[in-house]
Amino acid sequence: MEAGNRTGVSEFILLGFSEDPELQPLIFGLFLSMYLVTVLGNLLIILAIIFDSHLHTPMYFFLSNLSLVDICFSTSIVPKMLLSIRTENKAISYMDCLTQVYFSMLFPILDTLLLTAMAYDRFVAICHPLHYTVIMNPHLCSWLVFITWLIGVLTSLLHICLMKHLTFCRDLEIPHFFCELTHILELACSDTFLNWTLIYFMTGVLGVFPLIGILFSYSRIALSIRKMSSSGGKQKAFSTCGSHLSVVSLFYGTGVGVHFTSAVTHSPQKVSVASVMYSVVTPMLNPFIYSLRNKDVKGTLRRLLNRTTSCLR
């Protein structure tokens, strides 16, 4: 393998959560259940938005993209872990590991930028309602999603290009359940200064700045809501923003939790558990948050399920 010759390795070993054979069926069942719920829940959100013309608005356009990203994020991690448990083979090839690193960086970047676009959409809808249809036109929404994907793809590709020049030591065991960039860099024998510099820089640019944008948008939204004289208008504004704020809090909260856990503990198990919240639990909970807090989505899902049930009879 050409890549293996350059790096000096052909595969890594993913240690996972536990080597206790008695726990493997429990871990397998738990993650299989969460993965199926993630795929089904987000797929229902996407289908509801596609089939209901009332949901063909910028907010739900961004939401459908977010649901697609959540499905892809879980799919890039969980199936390989389930296969490893089932076959009792913890090895992952160098190229498969590199691919997993790429997607484990791409989809969180897309999540971050899509949540920022959704915050801007709510800002325009509440603070500039008379100009909403003009500003948030289909052309702008399409460009925002395109730019989001372009930034995510190029950033992840840049990380991979730098990784391909690394050489690795003989200790190829990764104390994690998937190939995560920082864990891979810790196994490298060659200089990783550029890799870590890029990580810190991109974390600031694609993590901190979008969060600042989200906080700015919602600070302006809060001021606009305070000025509303109608209690009904305030309630409607809170309901449209509540779901998005919950998802933002969950996404950033679990992301910060992963980095905080990595910084304060050297226990691989604790870091892995924190990563589960970020990479598996959050994508699973997002459709529940949007469907339970949104009357339009709940109504569409109910009609969609009733129609499906009628067709099966």
Side-chain angles (χ1 to χ4, degrees):
M1 183 185 294
E2 184 182 357
N5 292 334
R6 285 199 299 268
T7 61
V9 302
S10 60
E11 64 181 21
F12 295 94
I13 304 297
L14 294 170
L15 297 182
F17 292 97
S18 173
E19 296 183 2
D20 187 349
E22 295 182 358
L23 289 177
Q24 300 309 307
L26 177 62
I27 295 174
F28 181 87
L30 178 63
F31 276 88
L32 177 60
S33 301
M34 289 194 293
Y35 177 66
L36 292 176
V37 170
T38 299
V39 173
L40 180 61
N42 283 288
L43 189 60
L44 283 174
I45 293 290
I46 294 173
L47 291 175
I49 293 171
I50 291 174
F51 287 110
D52 192 341
S53 59
H54 296 95
L55 301 182
H56 293 177
T57 63
M59 181 178 71
Y60 294 110
F61 173 68
F62 293 131
L63 176 57
S64 63
N65 279 273
L66 184 67
S67 294
L68 175 63
V69 168
D70 284 341
I71 291 174
C72 295
F73 190 18
S74 290
T75 302
S76 67
I77 294 173
V78 179
K80 173 59 182 175
M81 185 188 67
L82 295 176
L83 181 63
S84 298
I85 295 174
R86 191 68 176 174
T87 61
E88 298 182 356
N89 180 12
K90 297 184 178 182
I92 181 171
S93 70
Y94 173 78
M95 288 306 300
D96 285 347
C97 191
L98 213 62
T99 302
Q100 202 171 60
V101 169
Y102 175 82
F103 287 118
S104 67
M105 289 185 295
L106 170 63
F107 296 123
I109 291 174
L110 296 179
D111 265 333
T112 303
L113 297 178
L114 285 172
L115 289 173
T116 307
M118 293 171 75
Y120 177 70
D121 171 74
R122 293 299 85 204
F123 163 72
V124 176
I126 294 174
C127 298
H128 305 283
L130 298 179
H131 303 285
Y132 178 73
T133 54
V134 176
I135 297 175
M136 298 303 297
N137 57 75
H139 183 71
L140 176 64
C141 294
S142 299
W143 267 105
L144 286 175
V145 172
F146 172 76
I147 292 171
T148 292
W149 277 89
L150 182 64
I151 292 173
V153 167
L154 292 180
T155 302
S156 303
L157 193 60
L158 181 57
H159 279 290
I160 295 300
C161 289
L162 289 178
M163 277 188 64
K164 292 189 72 175
H165 296 284
L166 297 176
T167 56
F168 293 91
C169 305
R170 292 296 92 193
D171 182 13
L172 302 177
E173 293 184 344
I174 302 173
H176 215 318
F177 62 95
F178 70 96
C179 290
E180 199 266 337
L181 178 59
T182 57
H183 284 81
I184 302 297
L185 295 182
E186 290 172 356
L187 300 179
C189 294
S190 53
D191 184 19
T192 58
F193 175 77
L194 285 177
N195 302 80
W196 286 107
T197 301
L198 182 62
I199 289 174
Y200 293 133
F201 177 75
M202 288 303 177
T203 299
V205 173
L206 300 178
V208 177
F209 282 105
L211 179 59
I212 292 173
I214 292 172
L215 294 176
F216 173 78
S217 296
Y218 276 100
S219 65
R220 296 293 301 273
I221 289 172
L223 290 174
S224 296
I225 292 176
R226 285 186 60 186
K227 295 178 182 178
M228 292 181 181
S229 56
S230 169
S231 58
K234 290 183 179 181
Q235 185 176 0
K236 184 179 179 179
F238 276 121
S239 65
T240 57
C241 296
S243 300
H244 183 249
L245 272 176
S246 299
V247 171
V248 169
S249 301
L250 184 63
F251 178 78
Y252 274 97
T254 53
V256 171
V258 170
H259 294 292
F260 179 77
T261 303
S262 301
V264 302
T265 182
H266 297 288
S267 171
Q269 287 78 15
K270 291 181 179 179
V271 174
S272 295
V273 170
S275 298
V276 169
M277 296 297 298
Y278 177 72
S279 59
V280 181
V281 176
T282 298
M284 180 185 69
L285 292 180
N286 284 353
F288 289 100
I289 293 173
Y290 277 108
S291 61
L292 291 176
R293 297 180 62 95
N294 192 302
K295 293 181 179 179
D296 294 332
V297 174
K298 281 195 294 186
T300 301
L301 287 175
R302 193 178 297 111
R303 290 192 296 272
L304 186 63
L305 291 173
N306 290 336
R307 187 183 306 176
T308 303
T309 304
S310 301
C311 293
L312 293 175
R313 289 176 179 175

